[in-house]
Amino acid sequence: MSSERVVSGMRPTGAMHLGHYHGALKNWVKMQAEQECLFFVADWHALTTHYDDPSIIETSTWDMLIDWLAAGIDPSKATLFIQSQVPEHAELHLLLSMATPLGWLERVPTYKDQQEKLADRDLATYGFLGYPLLQAADVLIYRAGHVPVGEDQVPHIEMMRELARRFNHLYGKEKGFEEKALEAVKKLGGKQSKLYGELRIAYQEQGKQEALEQGKAMIESAQSLSSVDRERLSGYLEGSRKRILVEPQARLTEASKLPGLDGQKMSKSYGNAIALREDKDSIIKKVRTMPTDPARVRRTDPGEPEKCPVWQLHKVYSDSDTKEWVQKGCRSAGIGCLECKQPVIDGILKEQEPMRERAQKYVDDPSLVRAIVADGCAKARALAQETMREVRDAMGLNYR
Ligand code: TRP
Ligand code: SF4
């Protein structure tokens, strides 16, 4: 298990669909086995765009949590919580906001994009502008190493890194830090100490990213050091400041290869989605009525899979024999479209069976989900409070 902590969140948009599963969720399920993971429902984020109609957020939150569990997120492996139940996120957001240049927020591409896309809403608000800063607080408060996100979110992660660096620079001036760091360097031992010094210069003076990575690996493997010394060495490697906040890295989630029923991107608002726990009959009906290659008007007309959204589903759900059967049968008009759709229906139903099973006990007894979340919130809060103590300390807000 890697020592890097993973943090990611999703807005509560209600029931999840297969596009979410084949994009983010499947990736989360994989990560929870490899790294320490914290996954949360970003309910405050939902408010940044839906402040005028918050009524659906609560139901959406519980539905989404059941979907996560159904998809295989395992509460004994990953910590699941709700953002607003860990109010420390808001405190860090506020404190970060003091030193965040407005230009950094205005320059984030999603700021203008979303305003244009959601033109029916008034998003000229303080909360919406600060959205990426809240997201930064979500991650920095756990000193996470990795953030699995889609491509559109990468600029947000870039900004988090800049924020962490700026924060450490402004508030990480510890008296005697350099001396203490040099003491810790000595503890690495002759050869290693020398190498550390060279890597530090290679990174700081020549901007060599590999040197930073190598230095980090070296610190991590220096088993004899205390965690305090290790933190010092990390901070000193990157600059001459104490490392209070950690710069996270984006872990790009591959986009889902599963289009919607009409071949467009799957989205609830396009009406082309299949929900994660959709009723069997409804799935069968949706696939049976989905459009095919428009050239196949009659059963005897040959078709072209590349022009057919059903083929995109075969690519996800069918084995190579079936795919060959589709290619040949379609182009020679040897098979009918309903016949062709059957393996896709079977594939989706088979994929959903364990999900429906896992979800059932939570649907039957919602108190189980409440308990998982209460436990997750407590765990997340303890971690968040630890960071906040240091943050307050560094900013002179501890009043002891
Ligand atoms: N902004 C993300 C989205 O819209 C959700 C989110 C909020 C998030 N906070 C986060 C993702 C922190 C990763 C890490 O999809
Ligand atoms: Fe699409 Fe299959 Fe019909 Fe060909 S046979 S048009 S791939 S549904």
Side-chain angles (χ1 to χ4, degrees):
M1 183 160 297
S2 155
S3 64
E4 302 261 31
R5 188 177 281 158
V6 171
V7 172
S8 199
M10 269 188 219
R11 293 157 162 262
T13 48
M16 315 229 78
H17 56 61
L18 289 180
H20 296 122
Y21 178 68
H22 285 273
L25 268 179
K26 222 163 63 176
N27 190 39
W28 283 13
V29 172
K30 194 166 133 262
M31 288 183 112
Q32 70 179 355
E34 299 161 355
Q35 277 164 278
E36 178 190 355
C37 290
L38 292 135
F39 299 130
F40 68 95
V41 180
D43 58 344
W44 278 336
H45 282 270
L47 278 175
T48 62
T49 48
H50 291 67
Y51 57 86
D52 56 351
D53 182 21
S55 58
I56 53 158
I57 293 180
E58 190 178 354
T59 335
S60 297
T61 293
W62 295 121
D63 282 346
M64 190 163 86
L65 282 161
I66 295 183
D67 282 337
W68 290 2
L69 294 163
I73 300 289
D74 178 349
S76 71
K77 294 190 182 126
T79 301
L80 304 182
F81 67 99
I82 299 171
Q83 182 186 33
S84 66
Q85 302 304 299
V86 185
E88 285 77 7
H89 289 224
E91 188 187 4
L92 183 58
H93 173 223
L94 176 86
L95 293 178
L96 290 174
S97 78
M98 302 301 171
T100 304
L102 267 181
W104 287 17
L105 295 171
E106 287 160 347
R107 254 189 282 122
V108 173
T110 46
Y111 179 58
K112 288 222 164 65
D113 287 358
Q114 289 287 94
Q115 277 190 332
E116 279 163 24
K117 239 194 233 159
L118 304 174
D120 56 324
R121 299 174 187 281
D122 180 4
L123 292 180
T125 58
Y126 182 55
F128 185 69
L129 177 68
Y131 169 100
L133 192 61
L134 179 58
Q135 187 171 357
D138 295 338
V139 174
L140 297 177
I141 204 159
Y142 300 106
R143 314 173 110 225
H146 291 136
V147 191
V149 284
E151 186 122 51
D152 62 315
Q153 302 275 309
V154 173
H156 295 184
I157 311 296
E158 275 308 312
M159 202 187 72
M160 285 176 203
R161 298 170 61 83
E162 284 169 28
L163 284 162
R165 221 174 296 148
R166 184 172 168 89
F167 187 93
N168 293 341
H169 182 76
L170 287 172
Y171 308 112
K173 293 184 205 113
E174 190 186 30
K175 230 176 99 202
F177 176 73
E178 179 132 22
E179 290 73 18
K180 287 183 204 155
L182 288 171
E183 280 299 311
V185 175
K186 271 195 215 142
K187 289 184 201 160
L188 283 169
K191 255 195 199 151
Q192 294 283 82
S193 305
K194 186 158 166 267
L195 178 60
Y196 175 92
E198 287 162 3
L199 292 171
R200 181 171 181 262
I201 288 174
Y203 173 63
Q204 291 192 16
E205 291 180 11
Q206 293 140 32
K208 287 196 178 142
Q209 201 63 35
E210 321 87 70
L212 177 66
E213 297 306 323
Q214 204 186 330
K216 278 189 187 164
M218 181 172 147
I219 296 165
E220 200 168 315
S221 65
Q223 292 299 338
S224 60
L225 291 183
S226 69
S227 60
V228 178
D229 275 341
R230 228 176 280 216
E231 276 305 311
R232 278 196 187 115
L233 287 180
S234 299
Y236 193 57
L237 184 67
E238 287 169 12
S240 51
R241 298 287 198 266
K242 191 174 163 189
R243 194 172 66 154
I244 302 159
L245 299 179
V246 176
E247 291 182 41
Q249 272 174 337
R251 271 268 210 109
L252 208 58
T253 308
E254 240 184 278
S256 162
K257 292 189 180 65
L258 192 78
L261 295 163
D262 55 358
Q264 310 270 93
K265 185 180 152 91
M266 190 180 281
S267 161
K268 197 160 67 179
S269 55
Y270 298 165
N272 63 1
I274 293 176
L276 206 75
R277 294 178 276 133
E278 189 154 331
D279 178 88
K280 275 186 194 167
D281 292 336
S282 164
I283 294 176
I284 295 171
K285 190 165 155 222
K286 277 186 180 173
V287 177
R288 285 206 176 138
T289 53
M290 73 183 273
T292 60
D293 176 1
R296 285 203 84 178
V297 183
R298 276 171 301 254
R299 167 71 177 75
T300 49
D301 297 331
E304 173 48 55
E306 293 301 336
K307 293 183 182 153
C308 174
V310 180
W311 172 240
Q312 299 303 319
L313 300 185
H314 274 294
K315 282 193 194 163
V316 173
Y317 289 103
S318 297
D319 59 20
S320 51
D321 285 351
T322 310
K323 282 190 275 196
E324 210 179 298
W325 170 78
V326 173
Q327 297 256 357
K328 281 197 184 131
C330 178
R331 291 183 181 130
S332 64
I335 59 172
C337 288
L338 269 182
E339 211 179 324
C340 176
K341 286 169 170 177
Q342 193 55 45
V344 168
I345 294 174
D346 295 340
I348 298 175
L349 293 180
K350 186 159 166 242
E351 178 178 70
Q352 294 211 333
E353 207 170 87
M355 299 200 211
R356 222 174 283 121
E357 233 167 71
R358 277 191 292 258
Q360 198 56 49
K361 70 173 182 201
Y362 300 114
V363 174
D364 292 343
D365 183 1
S367 76
L368 292 175
V369 188
R370 306 299 191 269
I372 289 168
V373 169
D375 183 49
C377 287
K379 278 193 196 137
R381 253 197 120 173
L383 297 172
Q385 281 169 348
E386 218 175 283
T387 307
M388 283 317 293
R389 261 195 298 278
E390 279 196 48
V391 165
R392 285 189 216 109
D393 241 343
M395 295 181 78
L397 297 167
N398 258 338
Y399 303 102
R400 277 182 302 230

